[in-house]
């Protein structure tokens, strides 16, 4: 296993520590990562962000990652709460002052010019003392892109634009002289950005890409490749994670971490956890937001068997299709061990009630992970 402490950014950024399984909290800047109208779900409240960010630091989490959203999923109701999210850049800058975890911004490439993004990232890296990271999204939400007057490009072109975007960021972050850039999507004349980030050579990049083109992009540019775990089979997980690492190493001479997303529902018994899950997914699930999301992605019931579609809908409402961590502390620990055995380096976690969930995690799961050798005590 690679020691990430060899990376010079390990001096300031905790995502390069030696914990075999790194952890982060996801979605605090908005309504979380579920589609639920349960009253316990977050509401883009800054006081809650502060409280839970401090709890996550107490839990030893390495990362705190917001999402980026500009409008709701329901086309005829753009002010629907599914679009409720504080801006991820300013949220990251503020959050860096209340926690020692790494703080990320999530940036959809077509919504911000790379010169503006480069300066904002460098500023947050300096504010945080070198603990910033950038989650780069090529752009998938057509109604949001329409708001910006940015045409929805095909799959290949989205990644081609994102590649130019990152190449420009890297130049701006590292060069002291001006430079020109002539690309398909951007033209830069005598570009420069000051001050530079603390982290060298650049702040870490996170990116999710499941297609062949997305995987190639992540292997070339990402420090943290983000995957959706689709199977409980350790060997299948390992095939997927090894594919990313092998491509990064053999094609680009790079090492990267592989992270995934999971939703957590912890109970004193498995039945208690299942009842909690049903409460916010079945009793209070936001089916209108789910329908809007599925229309946006052209997910139609006729494209797959009914039972598969229903399971997909359930997981989307529970935690955006993430890996399930539902049950007792013992069961959650066992499933995290399985992820680690499958080659996963880190997991971004979400709860429908963050404060209660992270407190339970600190009390019951944290010591078990230390005992299992997945994390320092």
């Amino acid at each position: 296993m690679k020691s990430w402490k060899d990376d010079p950014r390990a001096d300031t950024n905790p995502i390069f520590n030696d914990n075999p399984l790194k952890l982060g909290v996801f979605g605090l800047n908005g309504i979380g990562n579920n589609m639920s109208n349960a009253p316990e779900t977050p509401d883009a409240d800054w006081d809650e962000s502060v409280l839970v960010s401090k709890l996550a630091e107490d839990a030893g989490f390495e990362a705190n990652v917001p999402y980026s959203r500009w409008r709701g999923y329901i086309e005829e109701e753009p002010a629907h709460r599914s679009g409720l999210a504080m801006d991820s850049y300013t949220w990251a800058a503020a959050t860096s002052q209340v926690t020692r975890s790494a703080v990320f911004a999530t940036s959809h490439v077509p919504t911000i010019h790379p010169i503006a993004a480069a300066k904002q990232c460098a500023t947050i890296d300096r504010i945080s003392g070198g603990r910033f990271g950038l989650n780069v999204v090529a752009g998938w939400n057509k109604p949001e892109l329409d708001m910006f007057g940015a045409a929805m490009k095909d799959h290949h072109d989205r990644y081609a634009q994102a590649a130019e975007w990152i190449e420009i960021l890297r130049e701006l972050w590292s060069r002291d002289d001006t430079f020109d850039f002539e690309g398909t999507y951007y033209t830069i004349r005598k570009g420069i950005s000051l001050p530079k980030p603390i982290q060298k050579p650049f702040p870490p990049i996170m990116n999710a890409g499941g297609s062949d083109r997305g995987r190639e992009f992540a292997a070339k540019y990402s420090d943290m490749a983000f995957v959706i775990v689709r199977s409980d089979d350790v060997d299948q997980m390992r095939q997927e994670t090894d594919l990313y690492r092998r491509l990064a190493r053999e094609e680009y001479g790079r090492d990267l971490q592989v992270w995934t997303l999971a939703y957590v529902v912890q109970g004193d018994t498995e039945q208690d956890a299942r009842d909690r899950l049903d409460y916010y997914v079945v009793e209070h699930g936001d089916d209108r937001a789910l329908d809007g999301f599925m229309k946006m992605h052209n997910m139609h019931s006729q494209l797959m068997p009914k039972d598969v579609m229903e399971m997909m809908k359930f997981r989307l409402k529970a935690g955006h299709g993430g890996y399930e961590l539902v049950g007792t502390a013992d069961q959650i620990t066992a499933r995290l061990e399985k992820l680690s055995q499958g080659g996963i380096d880190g997991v971004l976690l979400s709860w429908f009630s963050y404060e209660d969930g992270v407190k339970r995690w600190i009390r019951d799961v944290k010591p078990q992970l230390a005992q299992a050798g997945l994390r320092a005590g």
Side-chain angles (χ1 to χ4, degrees):
M1 179 179 295
K2 175 181 170 61
S3 173
W4 291 101
K5 285 189 176 181
D6 296 337
D7 192 298
R9 295 168 291 184
D11 292 339
T12 60
N13 198 320
I15 68 165
F16 297 108
N17 69 25
D18 267 351
N19 277 331
L21 187 67
K22 297 165 180 58
L23 298 173
V25 60
F26 182 74
L28 274 180
N29 66 313
I31 61 168
N33 202 38
N34 60 67
M35 299 181 193
S36 176
N37 293 314
E40 297 88 347
T41 56
D43 200 32
D45 180 80
W46 173 242
D47 290 338
E48 182 177 25
S49 283
V50 171
L51 173 62
V52 177
S53 293
K54 290 179 176 178
L55 286 172
E57 181 180 350
D58 292 341
F61 290 0
E62 284 83 0
N64 198 339
V65 182
Y67 59 84
S68 180
R69 193 162 302 155
W70 300 93
R71 59 178 290 153
Y73 288 147
I74 302 173
E75 185 174 359
E76 62 275 14
E77 191 182 337
H80 183 266
R81 73 184 302 270
S82 55
L84 189 61
M86 290 180 276
D87 168 67
S88 71
Y89 282 97
T90 48
W91 182 91
T95 301
S96 73
Q97 299 305 288
V98 301
T99 175
R100 299 304 300 170
S101 300
V103 291
F104 281 70
T106 293
S107 197
H108 291 230
V109 166
T111 67
I112 183 169
H113 193 279
I115 293 177
K119 183 175 281 286
Q120 290 178 201
C121 292
T123 301
I124 303 171
D125 199 45
R126 285 181 168 264
I127 290 172
S128 67
R131 290 180 289 116
F132 178 70
L134 182 63
N135 179 27
V136 176
V137 181
W140 57 268
N141 190 323
K142 187 179 185 305
E144 289 189 346
L145 297 184
D146 288 344
M147 285 175 56
F148 286 85
M152 184 74 171
K153 298 175 177 61
D154 66 29
H155 185 73
H156 182 275
D157 287 344
R158 292 201 295 270
Y159 279 108
Q161 180 179 6
E164 283 191 12
W165 194 83
I166 290 183
E167 293 285 358
I168 294 168
L169 258 66
R170 287 180 167 183
E171 293 292 297
L172 292 166
W173 283 340
S174 61
R175 291 182 62 148
D176 293 322
D177 57 337
T178 62
F179 71 95
D180 293 340
F181 182 93
E182 189 70 50
T184 302
Y185 307 96
Y186 299 102
T187 298
I188 308 295
R189 294 286 181 261
K190 296 183 178 180
I192 193 167
S193 182
L194 299 170
K196 304 301 183 188
I198 290 175
Q199 296 180 87
K200 306 300 181 187
F202 323 105
I205 298 290
M206 172 188 285
N207 174 257
S211 65
D212 290 343
R213 181 68 180 93
R215 191 180 298 111
E216 179 186 349
F217 178 88
K220 185 174 182 179
Y221 293 109
S222 296
D223 299 278
M224 306 161 71
F226 199 79
V227 302
I228 295 296
V229 174
R230 294 179 173 84
S231 170
D232 275 339
D233 184 88
V234 170
D235 291 336
Q236 289 188 30
M237 290 185 209
R238 177 64 71 173
Q239 288 177 8
E240 177 78 0
T241 56
D242 283 351
L243 186 59
Y244 277 87
R245 292 190 181 90
R246 187 167 58 250
L247 181 61
R249 190 174 297 116
E250 293 177 359
E251 294 296 323
Y252 303 106
R254 308 177 63 248
D255 288 304
L256 52 72
Q257 299 178 18
V258 181
W259 285 56
T260 195
L261 181 71
Y263 60 91
V264 187
V265 187
Q266 182 184 335
D268 297 329
T269 65
E270 182 177 4
Q271 188 58 53
D272 177 32
R274 294 290 168 190
D275 289 344
R276 290 169 179 265
L277 180 63
D278 284 345
Y279 165 76
Y280 84 90
V281 175
V282 179
E283 293 181 39
H284 293 282
D286 191 342
D287 291 315
R288 295 177 67 232
L290 174 65
D291 289 344
F293 178 85
M294 293 183 68
K295 287 178 182 177
M296 195 183 305
H297 286 270
N298 294 315
M299 296 179 182
H300 303 295
S301 298
Q302 64 266 29
L303 298 179
M304 59 185 70
K306 182 177 180 180
D307 58 336
V308 176
M309 174 58 74
E310 291 305 311
M311 177 57 68
M312 176 184 290
K313 289 180 177 179
F314 187 93
R315 289 186 61 177
L316 284 170
K317 286 193 288 186
H320 209 72
Y323 190 72
E324 181 181 277
L325 296 175
V326 178
T328 64
D330 289 345
Q331 291 171 311
I332 289 170
T333 301
R335 288 182 67 76
L336 288 168
E337 286 183 288
K338 182 176 289 189
L339 287 177
S340 183
Q341 292 164 5
I344 295 295
D345 295 301
V347 186
L348 291 182
L349 306 169
S350 66
W351 293 260
F352 79 96
S353 175
Y354 281 84
E355 180 181 354
D356 175 71
V358 180
K359 284 180 176 178
R360 286 172 177 265
W361 185 282
I362 293 171
R363 184 191 68 201
D364 301 323
V365 180
K366 181 182 176 182
Q368 291 203 24
L369 294 176
Q371 186 175 5
L374 294 177
R375 297 181 57 78

